[in-house]
Amino acid sequence: MIYLDNNATTEIDPRVVDVMLDVLRSGPCNASSQHAVGRAARLRIDEAIDVIGSAIDSPLDQPGGPRLIFTSGGTESNNLALTGLAEPDAPIVLSRIEHPSVIAVAEHLAAQGREIRWLDVDSTGVAEIDSLADLIQTGDRPAGLVSLMSANNETGVIQPIEQAAQICRDLGVTFHVDATQSIGKLPISFRTLGASAVTMSAHKFHGPTGIGGLWLDGGVKLRPLLHGGEQQLESRPGTEPVPLICGMATALQLATSELPEIQPLLGSLRDRLEQGLRSAHPHLVVHGGWSEEDEAARAPRLPNTTCLSFLGADRQSMLMALDFAGVACSSGSACSSGSSPPSHVLLAMGLPAEQVQSALRFGVSKFSTEKKIDSAIERISNCYKRLTQKRAVEN
Ligand code: PMP
C-alpha cells in the first residue's frame, strides 16, 4: 500500500517506538504516587514537558507562564478549548472550514443557546480576515473566543493566524488556534504566535495516537471538561499516560529539529505528485487557488498536501478503486470520510458541485519516496482513466 493519507494520521517514527517501549518496560508509571516509582514517572513527565517547551519555543516551566495540558488528541483539545476558554454565555467566532471537532462542539453549544458567528472563506480557502474585527464586535455582546485553524486538513491552505492574533489582541478576545495540521510541516513558535491557546495532536507528526495537548498562554483560564482528580492542576484529571507523553515529546523534538530538511522534501514530493497527475490529466483541478499561470493567485499551502478534483469521476468510487489499487488517500476529513456528505470545506469555498463531488486529498510524509510517488501517479491515473471511460460508456 502506498500511504498518502498523512493528514489523517502518520506512521509512527521508529525512534519514538523505541522510547515508548523503554518507558512501557520500565515498570508502573503513576506520576501521582508518593513513592520512588511515582517520583520516577513524574520526572519523566517533567522531562517530556521541557522537551516539548523547547520544541515549540515556549518554556513551560516558569511559574505563571505558559502551560501544557495533555489530552487524548486534537479532538479533545478542541472540545476543551471551545467549551472551557470563554465565559459560558459569550459568543464564539469560528471559520466555516474548521475541523469537525471544532464545528460539532460549536453546534452543540449553539443548540444550548450559545451564539456562534461564522467567518467565511474565499474561493481559495483562506479565511476572510478583513471581516474578523466586525464579527467579533457585532451584536449586543462582543465575542469571547475566536477559534481558527492554522492550516486546513483537507486543502492544506494556511490561514492568516498572525493577523487574527493581532486583531484578537487589540480587541481583548481569547484566541484559540487548532495547529493540528501544521506542526511538523511548518516552523511554529508558540511564544510569538500571539494565541491564547493552541491545539496539537501527536499522531499527526509521527507520534502515537491517543495523545495531544492544549497549550495555554500564561494567565489563560480554562474550565475543565472532566472532573475527578487533581492531575494536571485539575484542568484534565486522570492518570497521565507517561509512555504516550514521552512518545509525543520525542516525536515533537524530532519533527521540529528535522523540519529544515523535511519541509523541502515534503514540498518536492507533493509537487511531483501534483505535476505528474496534471501532466497526465491537464483538466484536474488543484484546490487552494492553484493556478499554473498566476502564481500570485495561489493560496499558501502546507508543503505535503494536495486536494484535487478528478472531474467526471465520483470521489467515493475513486477512493475505493484506489484502495483496491494499493493507494491510500481520503475523500475529506478522516472523521467524516466514512459517510457520504460532501466536504464542508470545499462547499464553504463556493466550489461548483462537480468539483466538490470529485475531490480527493493526498498527503505525503517524510516516509514517502519519489519511487512510491511515481508508482502512485501511475495507479491513480489508471483508476481515473478506467472510471471516466466506464462512466462515458454508461452515459
Ligand atoms: N483538527 C484538525 C485540523 C485535524 O486535522 C484533526 C485530525 N483529522 C483533528 C483536529 C483531530 O485530531 P485527533 O485525530 O487527534 O483527535
Side-chain angles (χ1 to χ4, degrees):
M1 181 62 89
I2 301 172
Y3 186 76
L4 297 178
D5 198 11
N6 285 285
N7 288 14
T9 195
T10 56
E11 191 180 327
I12 194 163
D13 189 299
R15 292 166 290 182
V16 174
V17 176
D18 288 345
V19 168
M20 289 180 65
L21 283 176
D22 230 30
V23 182
L24 282 163
R25 288 188 178 120
S26 68
C29 270
N30 187 333
S32 305
S33 300
Q34 310 268 308
H35 43 60
V37 176
R39 286 196 297 278
R42 170 65 50 206
L43 191 63
R44 284 194 193 273
I45 295 181
D46 290 345
E47 283 168 1
I49 290 175
D50 280 349
V51 169
I52 293 172
S54 326
I56 59 175
D57 185 31
S58 167
L60 297 166
D61 55 357
Q62 319 283 320
R67 63 195 197 278
L68 180 70
I69 297 166
F70 290 108
T71 64
S72 61
T75 299
E76 185 185 331
S77 297
N78 285 343
N79 271 262
L80 196 52
L82 270 269
T83 55
L85 279 175
E87 291 303 314
D89 50 354
I92 300 177
V93 177
L94 57 141
S95 87
R96 294 192 186 277
I97 58 164
E98 295 306 304
H99 187 265
S101 59
V102 169
I103 291 188
V105 191
E107 284 169 349
H108 175 72
L109 294 173
Q112 297 169 349
R114 191 77 164 266
E115 185 186 339
I116 307 295
R117 299 178 188 161
W118 297 94
L119 182 62
D120 288 327
V121 299
D122 65 19
S123 61
T124 70
V126 179
E128 289 182 343
I129 199 71
D130 291 345
S131 45
L132 180 60
D134 279 349
L135 267 185
I136 292 171
Q137 293 166 307
T138 299
D140 301 340
R141 191 164 173 193
L145 174 67
V146 171
S147 182
L148 189 59
M149 64 199 335
S150 57
N152 184 265
N153 46 305
E154 295 186 32
T155 59
V157 171
I158 297 169
Q159 301 302 317
I161 294 300
E162 282 81 10
Q163 287 146 278
Q166 185 64 49
I167 293 167
C168 290
R169 204 169 29 243
D170 291 348
L171 296 175
V173 183
T174 304
F175 180 42
H176 165 244
V177 176
D178 176 0
T180 302
Q181 287 294 340
S182 39
I183 296 171
K185 298 168 193 155
L186 294 175
I188 189 165
S189 160
F190 286 32
R191 186 173 51 82
T192 57
L193 191 61
S196 323
V198 183
T199 285
M200 46 183 162
S201 174
H203 71 99
K204 306 286 184 180
F205 48 83
H206 303 286
T209 42
I211 181 82
L214 184 67
W215 172 93
L216 296 174
D217 200 8
V220 171
K221 292 197 175 56
L222 181 84
R223 280 184 311 282
L225 262 179
L226 305 180
H227 302 273
E230 288 175 3
Q231 295 93 344
Q232 304 205 62
L233 303 172
E234 296 187 18
S235 293
R236 206 277 194 174
T239 303
E240 292 99 330
V242 183
L244 291 173
I245 289 172
C246 295
M248 171 166 161
T250 305
L252 194 54
Q253 195 267 324
L254 292 170
T256 48
S257 64
E258 295 178 352
L259 191 62
E261 297 96 67
I262 300 299
Q263 192 180 347
L265 171 73
L266 297 178
S268 79
L269 292 169
R270 187 273 312 273
D271 290 350
R272 190 180 184 95
L273 176 66
E274 236 168 37
Q275 279 154 15
L277 289 171
R278 292 248 321 160
S279 64
H281 309 282
H283 60 283
L284 288 187
V285 182
V286 181
H287 297 298
W290 198 91
S291 153
E292 205 142 26
E293 305 78 43
D294 183 3
E295 245 181 78
R298 298 181 196 177
R301 287 185 300 162
L302 292 174
N304 81 316
T305 310
T306 182
C307 180
L308 297 149
S309 281
F310 292 81
L311 299 178
D314 170 70
R315 68 192 200 290
Q316 293 298 347
S317 314
M318 272 295 281
L319 194 70
M320 274 187 283
L322 286 174
D323 185 22
F324 196 66
V327 177
C329 64
S330 158
S331 67
S333 131
C335 313
S336 56
S337 58
S339 54
S340 50
S343 152
H344 70 287
V345 175
L346 303 182
L347 287 175
M349 288 160 64
L351 300 183
E354 199 197 355
Q355 290 188 17
V356 177
Q357 207 44 43
S358 59
L360 289 181
R361 172 191 75 183
F362 300 89
V364 303
S365 83
K366 63 180 179 182
F367 296 124
S368 311
T369 59
E370 289 189 351
K371 200 165 158 230
K372 287 184 196 168
I373 295 293
D374 291 346
S375 172
I377 293 170
E378 203 184 318
R379 296 179 202 197
I380 298 165
S381 187
N382 287 341
C383 286
Y384 185 37
K385 276 189 219 145
R386 221 177 36 247
L387 281 179
T388 41
Q389 276 159 11
K390 186 166 167 262
R391 209 159 152 167
V393 170
E394 281 168 3
N395 290 339

